[in-house]
Amino acid sequence: MYPGAQIVIAENSLLFLTSAAVSFPSILAIVFVIPRVWKERTVEGEVSWRSAISVIFSMGKRQIRRRKIRGFFTILSIIILILAFTSLTSFGTVFDVVSDKISKSPSPDGILVKRMMNKTSLLFIPLGTEDPKILSKIISIKNVAPRIENLPSSDPVATLRNPKSKHKALIYGILGIDPANETIYVPINKIIREGMFLSEDGENEILISPELADILNVKINDIVSLSIHGISRVSGNFTVRGIFDSEEYANLLDLDGKPYGPARVLPDGSSRLCNSTEFIIMNWRAAANLQKIANMLNPQGAPQFAVPSEIAFQTEETGDIDSIVRPLVLVFNYDVFVSSGEGIRYFHTGSYVEVKGAAELLLPLVMAGLNVGMVMLNSVYERRKELRTLLVLGLNPTHIGLLFVAEAVILGMVGGSLGYLFGLGFYRIAVLFNQDLMVREKLEWWWSAIGFAIAIAASVASAIRPAILAVRTYTPSKVRKHKLREKEAKERREEIFKVYQAKEYSMPVKVSPNEIEFFVGFILNRLDELKSGYTERVENVEEMPEIENVKGELVRTIKFNYHFEVSGRKRETKNSLIITKDPKENYYRVKMISEPAVPGMPEDAIDRTVDVIFNMMIYWAKNKRRLMG
């Protein structure tokens, strides 16, 4: 039934069988074994919370069984709620095309595609040389402007020389553009300060900055030589077609809203845009031809100084831009920037939280909540006599409220478990009949826990109001406080919990035979120190000689009386510290018997005496090596 079981069995059937074999005894141990081994400390006169809760849940289960029809329909409403949650809703992280608004300023109309590395526009992954043709077959595009750049590096990619003056400059960036269409997206033609912009058919032309022109000592229409690093015999002569304004170039923005131009890597590993003396602009066909020559001369290790980096274009389609961009992101793994008069949107693969069916879940949620609430409210009035009887028997207001909460928890547990199973089955049946529910199947294990929690939460939330009503209606006290003041709680405890006979306590220490004399001496010294106290003192300290009883046990006894005052009232306890060695054991055990000097003394007197001796035992256990020298 569970959808993930088939995947686990197919991947590792042994792991599945081992997990199943371990889970059953583990659950049985938690339910039956651990409660028998680990028990709550009981206090005479008090009901332990574990015992009270088990009885309360038992009474809640009995109430549901007494009203079988009503309980059935209540559980049915919870089943419908969890079934709807399991099979008709979808919550989770989805990896798909994500759109981010990165600028609201009006920009030129166009689409820019590239593959960014680590989500930064400076470093990129080269595109395919045939990508413009492939794009034109998928969508109707126009004004295509391919761009070619060198892979950013900390080393120069080329050297630009003036053959006449022998001046040279290192080039870290090459930007190849389409002179005809590039100006549609970036107004690079408007920043030319001297000369002219690149011509459409002039492949041996370049644009440089005035700073680079001064370094090379060249002017408009002068010839320069470009030599590619890393491979010999790859060079060319180019004419300086124009000189652009460096400040205006620095203010150019691309379709992605970021500065325009090639980048370089610095020696420390960071990257930045090339400055005006480190790059040249040329026709993309001339750059591609130089790269083709380098690939022919060295097919295996040619330097990548002119590779397709970006493609800018416009679409002729008038449909939804999201549907146009979606295959570009999913199929080609492009980072797509859509620029328009409304701003710039960035499309890429990413994750987002998908929520489906949440609104539809409100109807069964309200239905189940009202159903449980009405059942609990009706139960409050039906059980008037029973609640009064329970109050007489000693249940406090908290217990009365928990009766209804426990009944709601049981309804939620049963309904949630069955609802999750039915929900998994309902989804499978829908798929079997080729019905698309438009939600994802819940494969993760935590969906069962979430559905279980929703069922219990809805039930308990609906039962809180009836529980409060029951407490207010049938509790005789007019003072309804969630928590008593500390002083009042202490006074009530002293009046209620009293001791009339001796109580025995085991001490957390074991004493070896060679330590027994030191241990007895330590206890007697500590008791002697308490003899001179005024508000707290020890009297009648008496050490009994070691004897052997009928069981063969060696027994040593230290008797003493402990006196102290509480709020001006004197308390006294009579105590015996019994040190016993069983013939089958190699150490002495210590236990303490304490009884009130006057029967009916508050139990806190015994607890205080036990705490004093207990602290002595802990001190001995931590410092016995030092005490024995």
Side-chain angles (χ1 to χ4, degrees):
M1 182 70 74
Y2 175 62
Q6 297 180 359
I7 300 176
V8 176
I9 294 174
E11 292 291 334
N12 193 336
S13 58
L14 179 61
L15 175 63
F16 176 79
L17 295 175
T18 304
S19 302
V22 171
S23 63
F24 285 108
S26 300
I27 297 299
L28 293 175
I30 293 173
V31 175
F32 297 105
V33 178
I34 293 180
R36 295 178 180 271
V37 176
W38 180 73
K39 297 181 179 180
E40 185 178 6
R41 186 176 71 90
T42 59
V43 179
E44 185 177 350
E46 288 189 18
V47 178
S48 66
W49 266 108
R50 184 184 303 171
S51 301
I53 289 176
S54 62
V55 172
I56 288 171
F57 272 88
S58 178
M59 295 174 67
K61 181 184 69 174
R62 183 193 64 184
Q63 177 66 15
I64 296 173
R65 296 180 65 180
R66 286 171 54 189
R67 301 289 187 266
K68 294 182 180 179
I69 297 178
R70 187 170 62 189
F72 168 77
F73 284 105
T74 305
I75 293 175
L76 180 62
S77 65
I78 299 175
I79 290 175
I80 295 173
L81 167 64
I82 305 306
L83 183 147
F85 168 77
T86 304
S87 58
L88 302 179
T89 62
S90 181
F91 305 87
T93 302
V94 178
F95 289 89
D96 203 349
V97 178
V98 179
S99 172
D100 298 330
K101 190 83 170 182
I102 61 175
S103 175
K104 296 183 179 180
S105 303
S107 303
D109 291 341
I111 299 175
L112 179 69
V113 300
K114 56 183 176 178
R115 293 191 183 102
M116 295 191 300
M117 185 180 298
N118 299 326
K119 299 303 177 183
T120 172
S121 61
L122 296 182
L123 304 179
F124 64 90
I125 300 174
L127 305 181
T129 56
E130 300 296 324
D131 281 14
K133 294 182 180 179
I134 298 174
L135 287 175
S136 63
K137 294 180 181 180
I138 297 176
I139 56 178
S140 298
I141 58 177
K142 62 181 181 179
N143 300 326
V144 180
R147 297 176 185 170
I148 285 183
E149 298 179 34
N150 61 290
L151 290 177
S153 172
S154 58
D155 299 322
V157 296
T159 299
L160 195 62
R161 292 183 175 86
N162 183 347
K164 296 180 180 180
S165 64
K166 306 302 182 181
H167 290 82
K168 63 180 180 178
L170 296 177
I171 302 301
Y172 288 87
I174 296 176
L175 175 60
I177 62 174
D178 184 347
N181 296 325
E182 185 71 17
T183 55
I184 299 175
Y185 311 107
V186 181
I188 190 172
N189 58 328
K190 296 182 180 180
I191 67 172
I192 302 300
R193 191 171 74 178
E194 297 181 33
M196 301 179 65
F197 187 64
L198 298 175
S199 60
E200 295 184 17
D201 55 352
E203 295 187 7
N204 295 326
E205 300 172 347
I206 63 171
L207 301 177
I208 62 176
S209 67
E211 293 81 6
L212 184 57
D214 292 340
I215 293 174
L216 296 174
N217 193 22
V218 296
K219 299 179 180 178
I220 300 300
N221 295 324
D222 283 354
I223 303 298
V224 294
S225 175
L226 181 68
S227 301
I228 304 301
H229 289 189
I231 187 169
S232 59
R233 294 181 296 169
V234 179
S235 61
N237 294 325
F238 293 86
T239 302
V240 178
R241 176 74 171 178
I243 297 176
F244 57 82
D245 189 284
S246 299
E247 293 184 0
E248 293 186 9
Y249 171 81
N251 294 326
L252 291 178
L253 295 179
D254 207 347
L255 292 178
D256 58 0
K258 296 181 179 180
Y260 180 77
R264 63 164 293 187
V265 178
L266 299 178
D268 61 359
S270 61
S271 59
R272 63 166 174 80
L273 290 177
C274 294
N275 60 39
S276 58
T277 64
E278 296 176 338
F279 78 99
I280 60 174
I281 302 175
M282 60 193 307
N283 192 302
W284 73 275
R285 293 184 178 86
N289 289 334
L290 288 175
Q291 183 66 56
K292 185 182 295 184
I293 295 172
N295 293 338
M296 292 174 60
L297 294 176
N298 189 357
Q300 303 297 327
Q304 302 297 302
F305 60 88
V307 295
S309 60
E310 301 170 349
I311 304 174
F313 60 88
Q314 294 175 337
T315 178
E316 297 179 348
E317 300 181 11
T318 58
D320 182 20
I321 192 66
D322 292 7
S323 61
I324 297 174
V325 169
R326 185 178 180 82
L328 302 181
V329 178
L330 294 180
V331 178
F332 294 95
N333 196 26
Y334 285 150
D335 292 288
V336 181
F337 296 86
V338 178
S339 176
S340 65
E342 299 178 355
I344 302 174
R345 295 172 63 192
Y346 171 36
F347 294 84
H348 59 98
T349 55
S351 61
Y352 61 92
V353 178
E354 180 189 58
V355 179
K356 291 183 178 180
E360 292 78 0
L361 187 65
L362 291 177
L363 180 60
L365 180 62
V366 172
M367 180 187 69
L370 291 176
N371 199 350
V372 175
M374 291 303 297
V375 168
M376 294 294 106
L377 190 61
N378 190 36
S379 180
V380 170
Y381 295 106
E382 283 183 352
R383 303 168 67 181
R384 292 192 297 269
K385 295 182 179 180
E386 179 183 350
L387 295 177
R388 291 192 180 100
T389 303
L390 293 174
L391 286 170
V392 172
L393 292 176
L395 268 69
N396 60 33
T398 302
H399 296 151
I400 296 298
L402 287 178
L403 282 174
F404 298 93
V405 174
E407 185 175 344
V409 170
I410 294 172
L411 292 172
M413 292 172 63
V414 176
S417 303
L418 296 177
Y420 181 73
L421 295 177
F422 290 153
L424 295 178
F426 181 82
Y427 190 96
R428 292 299 182 87
I429 293 174
V431 173
L432 183 64
F433 287 96
N434 296 323
Q435 298 296 319
D436 188 4
L437 297 179
M438 300 299 292
V439 295
R440 297 187 302 113
E441 191 173 15
K442 294 177 174 59
L443 297 176
E444 296 84 0
W445 64 268
W446 59 76
W447 286 115
S448 58
I450 294 176
F452 198 69
I454 290 176
I456 294 177
S459 301
V460 172
S462 303
I464 289 178
R465 176 61 182 172
I468 294 175
L469 179 62
V471 172
R472 290 181 175 178
T473 303
Y474 303 113
T475 301
S477 175
K478 292 184 179 181
V479 180
R480 301 183 180 92
K481 297 179 182 178
H482 295 288
K483 186 176 182 180
L484 295 174
R485 293 191 300 271
E486 183 177 355
K487 181 179 180 182
E488 185 179 354
K490 185 177 181 180
E491 291 176 353
R492 288 194 177 190
R493 184 180 181 87
E494 290 182 355
E495 290 296 327
I496 295 174
F497 300 106
K498 296 184 177 182
V499 182
Y500 294 89
Q501 59 186 6
K503 300 182 68 174
E504 183 178 311
Y505 299 88
S506 295
M507 293 291 107
V509 66
K510 296 178 182 178
V511 184
S512 62
N514 59 346
E515 299 173 347
I516 187 62
E517 297 300 333
F518 294 98
F519 176 74
V520 173
F522 166 74
I523 296 298
L524 292 174
N525 289 336
R526 295 300 294 267
L527 293 176
D528 288 339
E529 292 174 0
L530 294 174
K531 286 183 178 180
S532 59
Y534 179 73
T535 59
E536 180 181 14
R537 67 183 184 277
V538 172
E539 296 179 352
N540 302 328
V541 178
E542 182 182 1
E543 179 188 4
M544 308 297 293
E546 185 174 270
I547 62 172
E548 183 176 353
N549 60 21
V550 293
K551 297 181 180 179
E553 298 175 335
L554 300 178
V555 181
R556 300 182 70 163
T557 305
I558 301 175
K559 296 183 178 182
F560 64 94
N561 293 354
Y562 182 64
H563 298 260
F564 62 93
E565 291 186 7
V566 177
S567 301
R569 291 174 291 183
K570 296 183 178 181
R571 301 277 191 262
E572 180 183 357
T573 58
K574 297 179 180 180
N575 311 281
S576 297
L577 197 61
I578 301 174
I579 308 168
T580 306
K581 181 182 180 299
D582 190 277
K584 299 179 181 179
E585 297 176 341
N586 295 325
Y587 50 83
Y588 287 84
R589 294 181 181 272
V590 182
K591 65 180 179 180
M592 178 180 176
I593 298 177
S594 181
E595 61 178 313
V598 179
M601 182 182 297
E603 189 180 33
D604 288 342
I606 301 295
D607 293 338
R608 181 166 177 173
T609 306
V610 173
D611 288 340
V612 171
I613 302 303
F614 180 84
N615 292 332
M616 291 184 187
M617 300 298 151
I618 296 299
Y619 186 86
W620 163 263
K622 292 181 178 180
N623 302 278
K624 62 181 180 179
R625 292 185 179 179
R626 181 176 60 84
L627 294 172
M628 292 188 300

